[in-house]
Amino acid sequence: LIAGTAAATASKPAGSPTLGPEGLAALVAASRVPVFAIGGLGPEAWPWVARSGAFGMAAIGLFLPRPGESAGAAVHRAVAATVAVID
């Protein structure tokens, strides 16, 4: 099950509803299949997504290049952010 929008994201209008930690946890608890969180998520969300019991999460925006950044630099930044959270 793909569950989103989990957190505020630039791709949705300001004030759009989000699941947040409590909504995601409620969905996970009610689901009989694995739940993946999506929408507005980056490394800072990993702790609350993990606590929700979600099977995983998408962090697509984390890997997209910022203005003036190469694709390789974006991947390097994303991997560094991932390692920082895991450590």
Side-chain angles (χ1 to χ4, degrees):
L1 176 67
I2 306 297
T5 302
T9 175
S11 67
K12 304 278 187 270
S16 293
T18 62
L19 292 171
E22 295 81 17
L24 181 60
L27 254 170
V28 169
S31 179
R32 295 169 57 187
V33 297
V35 176
F36 286 85
I38 190 168
L41 301 172
E44 70 287 344
W46 293 346
W48 66 261
V49 171
R51 283 192 303 273
S52 77
F55 192 76
M57 68 178 238
I60 299 162
L62 176 64
F63 292 91
L64 297 177
R66 295 175 178 161
E69 184 179 41
S70 71
V75 170
H76 184 269
R77 176 181 42 75
V79 169
T82 302
V83 169
V85 171
I86 293 171
D87 283 344

